[in-house]
Each structure stands twice: as C-alpha cells, then as structure tokens.
Amino acid sequence: MYYRKLGDGDWEIIALAALLFGLTQVLLWLLVASGLGIVLILLRRGNQHQPLPFLPVLFISLLVLISR
C-alpha cells in the first residue's frame, strides 16, 4: 500500500509560512518538526506502520519556535 509522504495541507502550511517568515525560519521550523516527528514515531506504541499526521507536528514545532 502506498502512503503519500506529505499531504496537501502540509504543503499549503509550509508555503504560507515561507511567505510570512522567510526561507531560513521555515527551514529551521521544518528541522525542529522533523526531529519531533522522529521522536514521536520512536515513542509510539501499537501499530508502527500506521502513518503519523505531520500537520499537528508542524503546529507544535511552530509553537516551540515562537515561544523561544
């Protein structure tokens, strides 16, 4: 079974953030979001093959970066 890696909503949020905050900030944001996503996948219990929605991870990492 094929799963798309990033959904349309993910790309829309990333594009909007790139327009609002600039490329450097968005790359930092994606780095933090990817790290958080990896941690969540490693800590996940149950079905390891179920896809992890990335949009909530993007929003959590955005809150982390805004709060610093």
Side-chain angles (χ1 to χ4, degrees):
M1 184 176 286
Y2 173 74
Y3 290 105
R4 293 176 55 185
K5 302 301 180 200
L6 287 174
D8 293 335
D10 299 331
W11 287 115
E12 290 172 0
I13 296 297
I14 293 169
L16 179 63
L19 289 173
L20 292 174
F21 302 116
L23 185 60
T24 305
Q25 292 297 321
V26 170
L27 291 176
L28 177 63
W29 176 44
L30 290 174
L31 181 67
V32 171
S34 298
L36 180 60
I38 290 170
V39 168
L40 289 175
I41 287 172
L42 292 175
L43 294 176
R44 181 190 300 201
R45 299 194 196 310
N47 188 358
Q48 295 289 329
H49 300 289
Q50 183 180 3
L52 177 70
F54 196 56
L55 196 57
V57 176
L58 285 173
F59 283 126
I60 292 169
S61 63
L62 181 64
L63 291 175
V64 167
L65 287 176
I66 288 175
S67 68
R68 65 178 184 115

